[in-house]
Amino acid sequence: MPPTKISLLGTGFIAGIHLESYRRFVPDAEVVAVYSRSRERAEAFGRTHGIGRCYDDLDRAATDPDCDVVDVCIPNDLHARATIAAAKAGKHVIIEKPLCLTLDEADAMIAVCKANGRKLMYAEELCFAPKYERVRRLVVEGAVGRVFHLRQCEKHSGPHSDWFYDHARSGGGALMDMGCHGLAWFRWMLGGQPRALSVSAHMQTGLIHEGRTRCEEHSVCIVEFEGGAVGVAENSWATLGGMEDRVEVSGTGGVIFADLFMGSSALTYSENGYGYAMEKAGSTRGWTFTMFEEAFNQGYPHELKHFIECVREDTQPLVTGEDGRAVLELMCAAYHSARIGQKVTMPFDAPRSTRPIDLWLGA
Amino acid sequence: MPPTKISLLGTGFIAGIHLESYRRFVPDAEVVAVYSRSRERAEAFGRTHGIGRCYDDLDRAATDPDCDVVDVCIPNDLHARATIAAAKAGKHVIIEKPLCLTLDEADAMIAVCKANGRKLMYAEELCFAPKYERVRRLVVEGAVGRVFHLRQCEKHSGPHSDWFYDHARSGGGALMDMGCHGLAWFRWMLGGQPRALSVSAHMQTGLIHEGRTRCEEHSVCIVEFEGGAVGVAENSWATLGGMEDRVEVSGTGGVIFADLFMGSSALTYSENGYGYAMEKAGSTRGWTFTMFEEAFNQGYPHELKHFIECVREDTQPLVTGEDGRAVLELMCAAYHSARIGQKVTMPFDAPRSTRPIDLWLGA
Amino acid sequence: MPPTKISLLGTGFIAGIHLESYRRFVPDAEVVAVYSRSRERAEAFGRTHGIGRCYDDLDRAATDPDCDVVDVCIPNDLHARATIAAAKAGKHVIIEKPLCLTLDEADAMIAVCKANGRKLMYAEELCFAPKYERVRRLVVEGAVGRVFHLRQCEKHSGPHSDWFYDHARSGGGALMDMGCHGLAWFRWMLGGQPRALSVSAHMQTGLIHEGRTRCEEHSVCIVEFEGGAVGVAENSWATLGGMEDRVEVSGTGGVIFADLFMGSSALTYSENGYGYAMEKAGSTRGWTFTMFEEAFNQGYPHELKHFIECVREDTQPLVTGEDGRAVLELMCAAYHSARIGQKVTMPFDAPRSTRPIDLWLGA
Amino acid sequence: MPPTKISLLGTGFIAGIHLESYRRFVPDAEVVAVYSRSRERAEAFGRTHGIGRCYDDLDRAATDPDCDVVDVCIPNDLHARATIAAAKAGKHVIIEKPLCLTLDEADAMIAVCKANGRKLMYAEELCFAPKYERVRRLVVEGAVGRVFHLRQCEKHSGPHSDWFYDHARSGGGALMDMGCHGLAWFRWMLGGQPRALSVSAHMQTGLIHEGRTRCEEHSVCIVEFEGGAVGVAENSWATLGGMEDRVEVSGTGGVIFADLFMGSSALTYSENGYGYAMEKAGSTRGWTFTMFEEAFNQGYPHELKHFIECVREDTQPLVTGEDGRAVLELMCAAYHSARIGQKVTMPFDAPRSTRPIDLWLGA
């Protein structure tokens, strides 16, 4: 069986991680095309990585006739357009978080993929990160009894690319960008599709990106689930010192703590500094937590390999567009909660064509 | 100057810690009387520790003619009565958390102490725990810029004494018992008397003490303060594995993590187990986090020494009845928030004679 | 290019890790044959893993006509015989540590592979473990200046298989079994082939395997290298609590600490226990350090993938039979040092047909 | 009973720690005199701390008529002279490590104290550091079975004061300065006076203090004790990043790890840095391990309180001049071992008037 051919949309940070993961860990996949809105960047990426076709036209990249799969690693506001174009052209789609900007977009994406019999995988890598997957299996084994509390933090000092800070393009700040991970992970840990009973959220702004963005820089979001479990997602674009990604699980029979970056790293003291410690780490002088195999430890290879297997064996991905939509719905409720200063009871009848952050800022 | 004489009310866990702290670290203090509602326990405690007068009558103990200070380490529902009796008899009072059960009681306690020119110290040891005090000074030094997020966890598997589980006597569960620490610490970290803007809380019950109590076993409480800082207190009577007491401080210029128990302990693997690892630790077989100098590390000696100095030098304690009252007010708002499922705006006009937990359970 | 075909000698713990690593991470490799001295075990392993040919005859397995590579995962005393048979039959060989039992064997293995133009890779996974490889690159980057001290620990409570405890078959205890890792890693960190100036070692026995073995259960081995760096290898078959594998690097410009197991794990408290925490962990009740992706984190996939690439692209493995021989030489010096209670100056003219441990025990 | 009066010899780093410890934790002690060879420093110290008598004459300070105890915190080469003068004048003596420079000095000190019926305490604070004392009691409780291996590290980037680097005054480098702690701790952990069977040591120089000192900057010292336990002391003046002080205990029934500084600290990330992280920490920007109550955590108050009690109650100190002498003897053997490149069998007949380091450097 020949390799599954992929058109990779994007040449940024996350596109690089996907490419590395395919190359090193998914032998059945072959990236045959790449897109960037800048022709130079597309060609430079293609040249560096030996990818034959380089596009600066999104629709053409998403419908490349020789690819089987489109891998969407472009800004949030282009997710729906790329997915719909690809699915109409008969491509399976794997898409980086968040799924898209509005529930309308989500519904359209899901519907088009369904109508065309195409798979739509929501690429939530925390469902595949090997340490967190071990945590999930501990829970399934009964190691900590009945889970009643989940905490997930993802924090750093803010994204590199400008579009994240433009709320019209990103649809939100720390919660939209990183809280989506925690919310997806809560659902995953609670069996996949637990019913959410309520959402409440606190947003903070004006911390370290004052003047650059209207997006929230720090958020705390609490979700109550049917069966009694509570999830607390804490997210930040205003936390210095490198990437923080950790989880806590509390059950009636025990607890689990897992830390994806610091908690796996080597501990280094360097008088003069060195090249790279971990994502968003800043200076490397003095004490640093030095990471390694970051893509693997975050589960990208496992996630992409899983999707390629789904495509090749015609099975259902573990995390789908519906899951991405459910996370988006929780985020809509969270921003609304932050606006009204109240807990929002689920299901929340969110406006279907409004970006999450606009439910907080006002349209 | 002769030692300051103390009547110690209580012979339980916390009374033992106070006694040890006085004896080892506060040479100017002398415990001269002890009270337990059980005459046997009072006498056994007195005998063991060489304390001359042993009472099973609370009012007589609180008004012991030869003491200068009454140290209140008895169940919550007796706090007001003991304090008022002591102050009327001209004693200075130091009182374990929480201050009392209702705002009416708090007001009466404060008023009586004031009227009698007596000091009333609210014994919040986290304001004195040396690691946390170092954290506070880091913040004061500007090490982490402007603080915008505080987290404090205190969790264990539930108190030993039965009265804690009787909500009429304790006035609440994990939040009342342990969340009071976090709330007091937030105020302390933010300068002492920051204005709270809102309180919201989630309560969980039926976890591991099902049938034993109507109190909440796990709580998350979020307070927004003037100036923008947010505090998250997470508390539990349903967390196994020993005492968890940790803080996180996020500022615009950095972060601080401090862990009072695990994060100071020796790490032990013992095939056969041993005597004692830490408060509430359960089994000592396998891996355990072995604590030492627990009273000192939690700041009890520093706290008691400070109070004795205040008494001897006639100065104002750093943490007072007013602070205890403010924490009680936040807790009232928190339980009310849990009931209505909504954030409560402060100031919250709490019923003045209702126990905090009754604002959640309904009276 | 068709996959490279492998005959896997052994069905034990390490053979299982190799198989998993090939299957998941080395798509160009195919295990086509397996050997165990027990026909039942060979067939069970083959059946479970879908391997076509199952041998209980070592020489036939090592010369299987349809394989390109022989992967040696059998007891130490069979290493030379299997390698020599395989090389004579035109197979490339990858061999688990230690290389063999005597310098004569080592020389013969190297010579036969050379004469037949076959590759001989010494499978030292610590040279490939991703966290340690990151440590090595930190050093190469100059992050810690000139390295003057290296420490490597590998400790657990003793091997599962009986043959390890029979010194005639294993050639040594904790040092031979695990110290070989540290010694190889020192050489690797110091550029590959640093000249050793001296070796000294302390051995302890009669700890927890009294009566079962004459092998040392705990050892400390110190090597001085040209240029001034000192390496300390500490190894144990008598350390409870699970696998310990850590390194420390001290340089004139900084330090690095890395811990392969505990230092990457999730931290779990389980009242009832669960299936598996980590290699040699014992009980899973109470606190445990839960590992995940153990093979990957120890570098097995990287190591095997590297070798298969060497075979397919006809390049030289990074770690060779000569390296295995150099480690064996250091171990001979170490056991001799333990016997005479003195530091041994290198080069040490070890008897060429004596097992390392016999230099300590006396032949 | 009036306070015990102390003449404090020295105004440097360690003298400051002793003073703080007396003041805060030893109410029965009163520092009434202070000595520095510089009159200005003595007077500045006295003024700052309210000490009445300030000396720049060592003998007068050591024989101050109004003091009961002399506390020796001056350079190593003055230890014997001060102790002997004090004891002859009827003072009890507590002396910082190491005891003195030669065995002759040690014998004289012990003899004079004995002849004058004065107590001589060897102030090894690791015997009193509360975390390590908890470790010792774990061992006594049987938590880890029979102890067969001890490791103690004390490392930093080198002392502040110049005299340490002058081997004629200090008598040695990292081992003499810090290894004395490890060696004393091994003895303490093994019951107090275990017989040492052998000593071997490796010394390194020319690391980061090239040209400033002939003292060793890094050392590894291994002691075999009767009963089979082995102790490994690793010490450094060339380790950057702050104070490292940790122990490992391996027994037949378990293991213990304890870390006095990093392992108790708060973890701080500070963009701009702050005042002080821990002893020898260097920069406070980026990640740092922030210590607190350093004197207490190292056991100084416990140690000094113990000695003052011994004086007041006329009991024998737990650690005496004989212990200091035994440690000195082990160090003599260690330096000799480093010179001859061989393990030294104990008892080692060290030249009685030679400084330890001269046994390595040659006189």
Side-chain angles (χ1 to χ4, degrees):
Chain A
M1 195 166 166
T4 299
K5 293 179 180 168
I6 297 163
S7 178
L8 179 63
L9 308 187
T11 57
F13 180 71
I14 192 68
I17 289 175
H18 281 219
L19 184 77
E20 179 203 341
S21 297
Y22 285 125
R23 288 275 165 92
R24 292 183 53 208
F25 298 105
V26 195
D28 289 330
E30 184 185 352
V31 176
V32 297
V34 65
Y35 157 82
S36 166
R37 76 196 151 119
S38 145
R39 169 151 294 274
E40 291 77 49
R41 280 209 297 276
E43 287 177 350
F45 194 92
R47 214 161 32 238
T48 305
H49 299 295
I51 300 171
R53 292 189 297 286
C54 305
Y55 294 100
D56 61 358
D57 179 309
L58 180 56
D59 294 297
R60 288 188 56 215
T63 60
D64 175 279
D66 189 40
C67 79
D68 311 301
V69 161
V70 170
D71 183 340
V72 183
C73 296
I74 47 179
N76 300 351
D77 58 330
L78 301 173
H79 282 195
R81 176 177 146 200
T83 301
I84 290 169
K88 282 186 175 164
K91 314 302 183 189
H92 300 290
V93 178
I94 181 162
I95 184 160
E96 264 296 327
K97 56 83 197 167
L99 186 64
C100 51
L101 293 188
T102 69
L103 294 172
D104 272 349
E105 285 184 353
D107 289 333
M109 291 160 75
I110 292 168
V112 171
C113 288
K114 194 169 195 180
N116 288 273
R118 299 296 87 185
K119 296 178 195 307
L120 175 56
M121 176 161 173
Y122 180 60
E124 177 47 63
E125 75 270 11
L126 295 196
C127 302
F128 296 88
K131 192 186 282 189
Y132 289 175
E133 174 58 10
R134 185 70 193 93
V135 169
R136 194 186 63 84
R137 284 189 293 116
L138 280 171
V139 168
V140 170
E141 281 186 73
V144 296
R146 177 165 57 91
V147 170
F148 62 84
H149 190 84
L150 296 164
R151 179 178 188 243
Q152 207 274 334
C153 287
E154 199 167 313
K155 306 183 189 175
H156 58 47
S157 55
H160 297 305
S161 301
D162 280 338
W163 67 263
F164 282 94
Y165 297 90
D166 175 354
H167 71 281
R169 299 198 65 195
S170 62
L175 178 69
M176 184 76 169
D177 181 31
M178 304 167 89
C180 59
H181 290 302
L183 298 174
W185 182 77
F186 297 155
R187 300 179 79 250
W188 181 241
M189 288 296 290
L190 296 171
Q193 306 184 326
R195 197 155 66 86
L197 303 179
S198 77
V199 177
S200 59
H202 292 73
M203 305 286 177
Q204 289 174 281
T205 192
L207 302 178
I208 67 172
H209 302 289
E210 181 93 62
R212 185 180 188 190
T213 188
R214 296 184 63 198
C215 291
E216 79 283 4
E217 296 178 42
H218 198 89
S219 64
V220 178
C221 177
I222 303 182
V223 186
E224 294 174 313
F225 290 97
E226 194 174 28
V230 170
V232 178
E234 199 183 310
N235 298 96
S236 196
W237 279 1
T239 297
L240 304 176
M243 187 75 175
E244 183 183 331
D245 195 320
R246 51 183 99 196
V247 300
E248 297 180 18
V249 178
S250 301
T252 52
V255 293
I256 315 170
F257 297 86
D259 181 332
L260 224 49
F261 283 74
M262 269 194 188
S264 292
S265 61
L267 178 61
T268 304
Y269 184 88
S270 174
E271 200 166 45
N272 293 319
Y274 58 96
Y276 175 86
M278 65 160 66
E279 197 184 330
K280 310 283 188 328
S283 165
T284 56
R285 298 178 76 159
W287 287 107
T288 46
F289 297 88
T290 314
M291 265 306 278
F292 60 92
E293 289 282 12
E294 281 186 65
F296 186 90
N297 277 304
Q298 290 179 90
Y300 290 105
H302 308 71
E303 161 197 287
L304 296 172
K305 190 181 184 90
H306 168 69
F307 183 59
I308 297 304
E309 283 170 8
C310 288
V311 167
R312 294 170 75 87
E313 298 165 11
D314 194 18
T315 56
Q316 178 69 359
L318 288 167
V319 195
T320 65
E322 281 79 1
D323 293 305
R325 188 196 188 282
V327 169
L328 186 65
E329 218 169 3
L330 293 171
M331 292 196 291
C332 288
Y335 284 100
H336 182 65
S337 163
R339 182 179 201 177
I340 63 173
Q342 304 294 10
K343 186 197 284 191
V344 171
T345 304
M346 297 298 286
F348 164 59
D349 189 21
R352 308 181 70 80
S353 59
T354 304
R355 285 177 293 248
I357 195 170
D358 291 331
L359 296 169
W360 174 50
L361 295 176
Chain B
M1 194 167 167
T4 300
K5 292 179 181 166
I6 297 163
S7 178
L8 178 64
L9 310 187
T11 57
F13 180 71
I14 192 69
I17 289 174
H18 281 219
L19 184 75
E20 178 203 341
S21 297
Y22 286 123
R23 289 274 165 94
R24 293 183 52 207
F25 299 105
V26 195
D28 289 330
E30 185 185 353
V31 176
V32 297
V34 66
Y35 158 81
S36 166
R37 72 192 153 122
S38 145
R39 168 150 296 274
E40 290 79 49
R41 278 210 296 276
E43 288 178 349
F45 194 93
R47 212 161 32 239
T48 305
H49 299 294
I51 300 171
R53 294 187 295 286
C54 305
Y55 294 100
D56 61 358
D57 179 309
L58 180 57
D59 294 296
R60 289 189 53 218
T63 59
D64 177 279
D66 188 40
C67 77
D68 311 299
V69 161
V70 171
D71 183 341
V72 183
C73 297
I74 48 179
N76 300 350
D77 57 330
L78 301 173
H79 282 196
R81 176 177 147 201
T83 300
I84 289 168
K88 282 186 175 162
K91 314 302 183 190
H92 300 290
V93 178
I94 181 164
I95 183 159
E96 263 296 327
K97 54 83 195 170
L99 186 66
C100 52
L101 292 188
T102 68
L103 293 172
D104 272 349
E105 287 184 352
D107 289 334
M109 292 159 74
I110 292 167
V112 171
C113 288
K114 195 169 193 178
N116 288 274
R118 299 295 89 185
K119 297 180 195 303
L120 174 57
M121 176 162 173
Y122 180 59
E124 177 48 63
E125 74 271 12
L126 295 197
C127 302
F128 296 88
K131 192 187 283 190
Y132 289 175
E133 173 58 8
R134 184 72 192 92
V135 169
R136 194 185 65 83
R137 285 189 291 115
L138 280 171
V139 169
V140 171
E141 281 186 72
V144 296
R146 176 165 57 90
V147 170
F148 63 83
H149 190 84
L150 296 163
R151 181 177 187 243
Q152 207 275 334
C153 286
E154 200 166 311
K155 306 183 189 174
H156 58 46
S157 55
H160 296 306
S161 299
D162 280 338
W163 66 264
F164 282 95
Y165 298 90
D166 174 355
H167 71 280
R169 300 198 64 196
S170 61
L175 179 70
M176 184 77 169
D177 180 31
M178 305 168 90
C180 59
H181 291 302
L183 297 174
W185 182 77
F186 297 154
R187 299 180 78 251
W188 181 242
M189 288 294 291
L190 296 171
Q193 305 183 327
R195 196 155 67 85
L197 303 180
S198 77
V199 176
S200 59
H202 291 73
M203 306 284 179
Q204 289 175 282
T205 192
L207 301 177
I208 68 172
H209 301 289
E210 181 91 64
R212 185 179 188 189
T213 188
R214 294 184 66 199
C215 291
E216 78 284 3
E217 297 178 41
H218 197 90
S219 65
V220 179
C221 177
I222 303 182
V223 186
E224 293 173 313
F225 289 97
E226 195 175 27
V230 170
V232 178
E234 200 183 310
N235 299 98
S236 196
W237 280 1
T239 297
L240 304 176
M243 188 74 174
E244 183 184 330
D245 196 320
R246 51 183 100 196
V247 300
E248 296 179 20
V249 178
S250 302
T252 53
V255 293
I256 314 171
F257 297 85
D259 181 331
L260 224 50
F261 283 74
M262 268 194 188
S264 293
S265 61
L267 178 62
T268 305
Y269 184 89
S270 173
E271 199 166 49
N272 294 321
Y274 58 97
Y276 175 85
M278 65 161 67
E279 195 183 333
K280 309 284 190 322
S283 166
T284 56
R285 299 180 74 159
W287 288 106
T288 46
F289 297 88
T290 314
M291 265 307 276
F292 60 94
E293 289 283 12
E294 280 186 66
F296 185 89
N297 276 304
Q298 290 178 91
Y300 290 103
H302 307 70
E303 162 196 287
L304 296 172
K305 189 179 184 91
H306 167 70
F307 184 59
I308 297 304
E309 283 170 9
C310 289
V311 167
R312 294 170 75 87
E313 299 165 12
D314 193 18
T315 56
Q316 178 69 358
L318 288 168
V319 197
T320 65
E322 281 79 1
D323 293 304
R325 188 197 188 282
V327 169
L328 187 65
E329 217 169 5
L330 292 172
M331 293 195 292
C332 287
Y335 283 100
H336 182 65
S337 163
R339 181 179 203 179
I340 63 173
Q342 305 294 9
K343 185 197 285 189
V344 171
T345 304
M346 298 298 287
F348 165 59
D349 189 21
R352 307 181 69 80
S353 59
T354 306
R355 285 177 292 250
I357 196 170
D358 290 332
L359 297 170
W360 173 52
L361 295 175
Chain C
M1 195 167 167
T4 299
K5 293 180 178 166
I6 296 162
S7 179
L8 179 63
L9 309 188
T11 58
F13 181 70
I14 193 67
I17 288 175
H18 281 219
L19 185 76
E20 179 203 341
S21 297
Y22 286 124
R23 287 274 164 93
R24 292 183 54 207
F25 298 105
V26 194
D28 289 329
E30 185 185 351
V31 175
V32 297
V34 65
Y35 158 81
S36 166
R37 74 193 152 122
S38 144
R39 167 150 298 272
E40 290 77 51
R41 279 209 297 275
E43 287 177 350
F45 193 93
R47 216 165 27 242
T48 304
H49 299 294
I51 299 170
R53 292 188 297 287
C54 306
Y55 294 100
D56 62 357
D57 179 310
L58 179 56
D59 294 297
R60 287 189 56 214
T63 59
D64 176 279
D66 189 40
C67 79
D68 310 301
V69 161
V70 170
D71 183 340
V72 182
C73 297
I74 47 179
N76 300 352
D77 58 329
L78 301 172
H79 282 196
R81 175 178 147 200
T83 300
I84 290 168
K88 282 186 174 163
K91 315 303 182 187
H92 300 290
V93 178
I94 181 164
I95 185 159
E96 265 294 329
K97 56 81 196 170
L99 186 66
C100 52
L101 292 190
T102 67
L103 294 172
D104 271 348
E105 285 184 354
D107 289 333
M109 291 160 76
I110 292 168
V112 171
C113 287
K114 194 169 195 180
N116 288 273
R118 299 296 86 186
K119 297 178 195 308
L120 175 57
M121 176 161 172
Y122 180 60
E124 177 45 66
E125 74 271 11
L126 294 196
C127 302
F128 296 89
K131 191 185 285 189
Y132 289 175
E133 173 58 9
R134 184 71 193 92
V135 169
R136 194 186 63 84
R137 284 190 292 115
L138 281 171
V139 169
V140 170
E141 280 186 74
V144 295
R146 177 164 57 90
V147 170
F148 62 82
H149 190 84
L150 296 163
R151 181 178 187 243
Q152 208 274 334
C153 287
E154 200 167 312
K155 306 184 190 173
H156 59 45
S157 56
H160 296 305
S161 300
D162 280 338
W163 66 264
F164 282 94
Y165 298 89
D166 175 355
H167 72 281
R169 299 199 64 195
S170 61
L175 178 70
M176 184 77 169
D177 181 30
M178 306 168 89
C180 58
H181 290 303
L183 298 174
W185 183 78
F186 297 156
R187 299 180 80 249
W188 181 240
M189 289 295 291
L190 296 171
Q193 305 184 326
R195 198 155 65 87
L197 303 180
S198 76
V199 176
S200 59
H202 292 73
M203 307 284 178
Q204 288 175 282
T205 192
L207 302 177
I208 68 172
H209 301 290
E210 180 93 64
R212 187 180 186 190
T213 188
R214 295 184 65 198
C215 290
E216 78 283 4
E217 296 179 42
H218 198 89
S219 64
V220 179
C221 177
I222 302 182
V223 185
E224 294 174 311
F225 290 97
E226 192 175 31
V230 170
V232 178
E234 199 182 310
N235 299 96
S236 196
W237 280 1
T239 298
L240 304 176
M243 186 75 175
E244 183 183 332
D245 196 320
R246 50 183 100 194
V247 300
E248 297 179 19
V249 178
S250 302
T252 53
V255 292
I256 314 170
F257 297 86
D259 181 332
L260 223 50
F261 282 74
M262 270 194 186
S264 293
S265 62
L267 178 62
T268 305
Y269 184 88
S270 175
E271 200 165 48
N272 294 320
Y274 58 96
Y276 174 86
M278 66 161 67
E279 197 184 332
K280 309 283 188 328
S283 166
T284 57
R285 299 179 76 159
W287 288 106
T288 46
F289 298 88
T290 315
M291 264 306 277
F292 60 93
E293 290 282 12
E294 281 187 65
F296 186 89
N297 276 303
Q298 291 178 90
Y300 291 105
H302 308 71
E303 162 197 285
L304 296 172
K305 190 181 184 88
H306 167 69
F307 183 59
I308 298 303
E309 282 170 9
C310 288
V311 167
R312 294 170 76 86
E313 298 165 11
D314 194 16
T315 55
Q316 178 69 358
L318 288 167
V319 196
T320 65
E322 279 80 2
D323 294 303
R325 188 196 188 282
V327 168
L328 186 65
E329 218 169 2
L330 293 171
M331 294 196 290
C332 287
Y335 283 99
H336 182 66
S337 163
R339 182 178 202 178
I340 61 172
Q342 304 294 9
K343 186 196 285 189
V344 171
T345 304
M346 298 297 286
F348 164 59
D349 189 21
R352 308 181 67 81
S353 58
T354 304
R355 285 177 293 248
I357 196 171
D358 291 330
L359 297 169
W360 173 51
L361 295 176
Chain D
M1 193 167 168
T4 299
K5 293 180 180 167
I6 296 162
S7 177
L8 178 63
L9 308 188
T11 58
F13 181 72
I14 193 68
I17 289 174
H18 280 220
L19 184 76
E20 179 203 340
S21 297
Y22 285 123
R23 288 275 164 93
R24 292 182 54 206
F25 298 105
V26 194
D28 288 331
E30 185 186 353
V31 176
V32 297
V34 66
Y35 157 81
S36 167
R37 73 193 153 122
S38 144
R39 168 150 296 276
E40 290 79 48
R41 278 210 298 277
E43 287 177 350
F45 194 92
R47 212 162 31 240
T48 304
H49 299 295
I51 300 172
R53 293 189 296 286
C54 305
Y55 294 100
D56 61 358
D57 178 309
L58 180 56
D59 293 297
R60 288 189 54 217
T63 59
D64 176 279
D66 188 41
C67 80
D68 311 300
V69 161
V70 171
D71 184 340
V72 183
C73 296
I74 47 178
N76 300 351
D77 57 329
L78 301 172
H79 282 197
R81 175 177 147 199
T83 300
I84 290 168
K88 283 186 175 163
K91 314 303 183 188
H92 300 289
V93 178
I94 180 164
I95 184 158
E96 264 296 326
K97 55 83 195 168
L99 186 65
C100 52
L101 293 189
T102 68
L103 293 172
D104 271 348
E105 286 183 353
D107 288 334
M109 292 159 74
I110 293 167
V112 171
C113 289
K114 196 170 193 179
N116 289 275
R118 299 296 87 185
K119 297 180 194 304
L120 174 57
M121 176 161 172
Y122 180 59
E124 176 47 63
E125 75 270 12
L126 295 197
C127 302
F128 295 89
K131 192 186 284 189
Y132 290 174
E133 173 58 9
R134 184 71 192 94
V135 169
R136 194 186 64 85
R137 283 189 294 115
L138 281 171
V139 169
V140 170
E141 281 186 72
V144 296
R146 176 164 58 90
V147 170
F148 62 84
H149 190 84
L150 296 163
R151 181 178 186 242
Q152 208 274 334
C153 287
E154 199 166 312
K155 305 184 190 175
H156 58 46
S157 55
H160 295 306
S161 301
D162 280 338
W163 67 264
F164 283 94
Y165 297 90
D166 175 355
H167 72 279
R169 299 199 64 196
S170 61
L175 178 70
M176 184 79 169
D177 180 31
M178 305 169 89
C180 59
H181 291 302
L183 297 173
W185 182 78
F186 297 155
R187 299 179 79 249
W188 181 242
M189 289 294 291
L190 296 171
Q193 306 184 325
R195 197 155 66 86
L197 303 180
S198 76
V199 177
S200 58
H202 293 73
M203 307 283 178
Q204 289 174 282
T205 193
L207 301 178
I208 69 172
H209 301 290
E210 180 92 63
R212 185 179 188 189
T213 188
R214 294 182 67 197
C215 291
E216 77 284 4
E217 297 179 41
H218 197 89
S219 64
V220 179
C221 177
I222 303 181
V223 185
E224 294 173 313
F225 290 96
E226 193 174 31
V230 170
V232 178
E234 199 183 310
N235 299 96
S236 196
W237 280 2
T239 297
L240 305 176
M243 187 74 174
E244 184 183 330
D245 196 320
R246 52 183 99 196
V247 300
E248 297 179 19
V249 178
S250 302
T252 52
V255 292
I256 315 171
F257 297 86
D259 181 332
L260 223 51
F261 283 75
M262 269 194 187
S264 292
S265 61
L267 178 62
T268 305
Y269 184 89
S270 174
E271 200 166 47
N272 294 320
Y274 58 97
Y276 174 86
M278 66 161 68
E279 195 183 335
K280 310 284 190 323
S283 166
T284 56
R285 299 178 75 159
W287 288 107
T288 45
F289 297 88
T290 314
M291 264 308 276
F292 59 95
E293 290 282 12
E294 281 185 66
F296 186 89
N297 277 304
Q298 290 178 90
Y300 290 104
H302 308 70
E303 162 197 285
L304 296 172
K305 191 181 183 87
H306 168 69
F307 183 59
I308 297 304
E309 284 171 9
C310 288
V311 167
R312 294 169 75 87
E313 298 165 12
D314 193 18
T315 56
Q316 177 70 356
L318 288 167
V319 195
T320 64
E322 279 80 1
D323 293 304
R325 187 196 190 283
V327 168
L328 186 66
E329 216 169 5
L330 292 172
M331 293 196 291
C332 287
Y335 284 99
H336 182 66
S337 163
R339 181 179 205 180
I340 62 172
Q342 304 295 10
K343 185 196 285 189
V344 170
T345 303
M346 298 297 289
F348 164 60
D349 188 21
R352 308 182 69 81
S353 59
T354 305
R355 285 177 293 251
I357 196 172
D358 291 331
L359 296 170
W360 173 50
L361 294 177

